Structures are given as C-alpha cells and as structure tokens.
C-alpha cells in the first residue's frame, strides 16, 4: 500500500426535500383538508477516525463525496425520508483543513472520534404544517434548503511518542529495525527511507511508539532533498532522538545542520525535548569515538549517548532515556491493538 499523507477532497451535504401541497379527498369522509407532508432532511458529511488505517491513499483516486438528498413530502401526511450520510473514514491523527490550507476545521486523534463537517439542508414544510383555524386550506409549501459544499484538505500526522531525526544514513532505520518489529528498508546509500515508518518498542515492561522520519539535508526547508514535508509527523511526538553518524566528517556540523532545519520548519519542533546520540560506534576506534563525542557535545551543549544498533551498545540506555521523557509528560500508553511486542534484547 502506498503512503499518502495529504489529499484534497470535495464534500457536499445533501439538499433537503421539498414539502408537498396535497388535500385529503376520500369518499364518505365528510371533512378533508391539507395533507401534504414535510420534506426529509439532507444527509450530513461526517469525518470518522478509525483503526487499521495509516495512509490517505483511498482519497487519491476518489475525491468527490456527496451525501444523499432528503426525500420529498407526499400526500396523506407522508414525510420524506432523511438522506443517507456520507462518512469519510480516515487514519487516527488526521487533520481536516479548509481550502486555504491554514484554517483547522477538525483534528481527530482518537479511534471512533466523529465530526459532522457539513450538515444537510432542512426539509421544507408541507401545506399541512401551515393549517390553522383561520387558514384551513393553505396552498403553499416550502422548498427544501440546499446543502453545504466545500473543498477540504486531509493532512495525516502520525501519532508517535518519540521520533527519530537526523541526516540521511545516520542509522535511523537501522535503529528502528533493531528495537521493534518494524522492517524499514535499510541500505548504504542516502534517502533509503522515503516514507515515515512506525514501530512499537518495548522496554522494561513498558512500550511506546517510535517514528522514523526521512533524513534531512541542508536546505530541506527550501525543498532540498525530500524537503521537510514529513516533519509534520514529528509534531505530535513527545521527544526527539537526534541520531548523528559517528563515521561522518564532523559530528558537530551534522548536528547543527539538522537543528537549523528544525528551527526553520517551526511548529514547536525546536523546543521539543531532545536526546542526542552518536551512532555506528562499532565502526569507530575509541579515539575516534572520543573525538566525535566531544565535537557533538560542544554543538549540542549536552553529553551525547554513544550507541551501535549492530552490537547493541548503548541501545538500552537510549530507549530508557526516551521512555523517561515520555512518562514525565504524563501521556497514557498506546492502546493495545495487537499481540504484545517482544521485549528488546541487545
């Protein structure tokens, strides 16, 4: 299944049914009178967050959704039926944004959450509704009110407790594959990860969701590389794990490059709690580790962790550091929807 995190959709609620003008004329019934029924209400447009979805690919090929109109009123005081609603099922964490791409209409962050985006038009009154003691034979009825319509944007922001950020080939996918059952693509060339990946991590009888975001390069906020379009998936993360490749030329420069892109993106990413780690320590000598860690410490103003996903060194410490920040924020643990994830083993 292809990953799609943004889609433009046209929605329209149903028109209300027209009221009816009718009179009761039956043999052997002495008094007749108006008997036109009311029109039915048009269907609503409803947005619902459901489990089991992690992409908006369904809205890549079907982009127009219209609710059914209400039924017209009929004689013998028969009212029109209500129009059927149209329900757009979206992944948890999807935002509904107006056509201007700025106005937030709804943010669905829980399974089963439903929002009535557009209400159907009211049905018109039939002539029986206007009958009074002085107007016993009204000959008019109301038309149904038209429904509402608009273009909206659906924007998915994955819900994860922690997020991995760093330059391409910093070891993010390798880290995720080592600590969870996720199977991201791993290779020795840049931009191996083209779409965000999620994994469930279990450590010390606790578990949290970890997101791997495609790598950033200098100028990502201007569209360089894959740009910063996937950074929206880290906006809901409680903590960021910033991985810096220890085999690179200068760990401090690599760290500053990514931090610059986070600050340029905005949306509070630069203010999120951050844990810094030097990766691929298995490929470095003790002297190189000491030198790169010192460079990274000067750039980040904090002591970095040193880890290796291949040998397992420092992995438990990194996971426990992430879990500590997540627990301090008071966020409830994710709902269990699958079999228990295996505890991570070094």
């Amino acid at each position: 299944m292809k990953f799609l995190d943004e889609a433009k959709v046209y929605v329209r609620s149903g028109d209300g049914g027209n009221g009816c003008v009718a009179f009761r004329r039956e043999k052997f019934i002495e008094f007749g009178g108006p008997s036109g029924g009311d029109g039915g209400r048009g269907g609503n447009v409803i947005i619902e967050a459901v489990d089991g979805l992690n992409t908006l690919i369904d809205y890549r090929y079907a982009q127009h959704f219209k609710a059914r109109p209400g039924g017209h009123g009929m004689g013998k005081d028969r009212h029109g039926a209500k129009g059927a609603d149209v329900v757009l099922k979206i992944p948890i964490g999807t935002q509904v944004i107006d056509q201007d791409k700025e106005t937030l209409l709804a943010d669905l962050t829980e399974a089963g959450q439903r929002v009535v985006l557009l209400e159907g038009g009211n049905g018109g009154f039939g002539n029986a509704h206007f009958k009074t003691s002085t107007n016993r034979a009204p000959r008019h009825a109301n038309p149904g009110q038209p429904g509402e319509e608009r273009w909206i944007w659906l924007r998915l922001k994955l819900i994860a407790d922690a997020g991995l950020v760093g330059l391409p080939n910093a070891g993010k996918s390798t880290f995720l594959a080592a600590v969870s059952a996720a199977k991201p693509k791993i290779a020795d060339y840049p931009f191996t990860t083209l779409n965000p990946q999620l994994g469930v991590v279990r450590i010390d009888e606790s578990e949290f969701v970890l997101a791997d975001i495609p790598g950033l390069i200098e100028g990502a906020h201007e569209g360089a590389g894959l740009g910063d379009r996937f950074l929206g998936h880290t906006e809901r993360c409680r903590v960021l794990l910033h991985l810096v490749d220890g085999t690179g030329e200068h760990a401090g420069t690599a760290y500053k490059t990514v931090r610059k892109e986070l600050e340029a993106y905005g949306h509070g990413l630069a203010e999120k709690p951050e844990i810094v780690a030097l990766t691929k320590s298995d490929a470095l000598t003790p002297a190189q580790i000491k030198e790169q860690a010192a460079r990274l410490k000067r750039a980040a103003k904090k002591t970095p962790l040193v880890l290796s996903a291949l040998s397992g060194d420092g992995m438990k410490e990194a996971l426990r550091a992430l879990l500590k920040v997540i627990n301090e924020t008071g966020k409830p643990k994710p709902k269990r929807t699958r079999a228990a994830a295996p505890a991570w083993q070094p």
Side-chain angles (χ1 to χ4, degrees), residues 199-216:
V200 179
V201 180
R202 191 179 184 196
I203 182 73
D204 298 334
E205 302 303 322
S206 298
E207 63 180 38
F208 59 90
V209 179
L210 182 64
D212 173 21
I213 306 301
L216 299 171

Side-chain angles (χ1 to χ4, degrees), residues 183-262:
K183 300 184 184 301
K185 183 178 179 181
I186 300 174
D188 59 353
Y189 54 84
F191 298 111
T192 307
T193 302
L194 299 178
N195 297 309
Q197 303 285 336
L198 290 179
V200 179
V201 180
R202 191 179 184 196
I203 182 73
D204 298 334
E205 302 303 322
S206 298
E207 63 180 38
F208 59 90
V209 179
L210 182 64
D212 173 21
I213 306 301
L216 299 171
I217 63 174
E218 186 174 2
H221 67 282
E222 298 175 345
L226 292 177
D228 59 4
R229 64 179 299 254
F230 293 117
L231 278 182
H233 298 287
T234 63
E235 290 181 24
R236 302 184 191 274
C237 295
R238 297 286 175 154
V239 57
L240 300 179
L241 178 58
H242 190 156
L243 301 182
V244 180
D245 185 358
T247 62
E249 294 183 4
H250 197 293
T253 302
Y255 172 83
K256 291 180 179 179
T257 299
V258 175
R259 288 298 301 180
K260 180 180 178 181
E261 298 304 321
L262 294 179

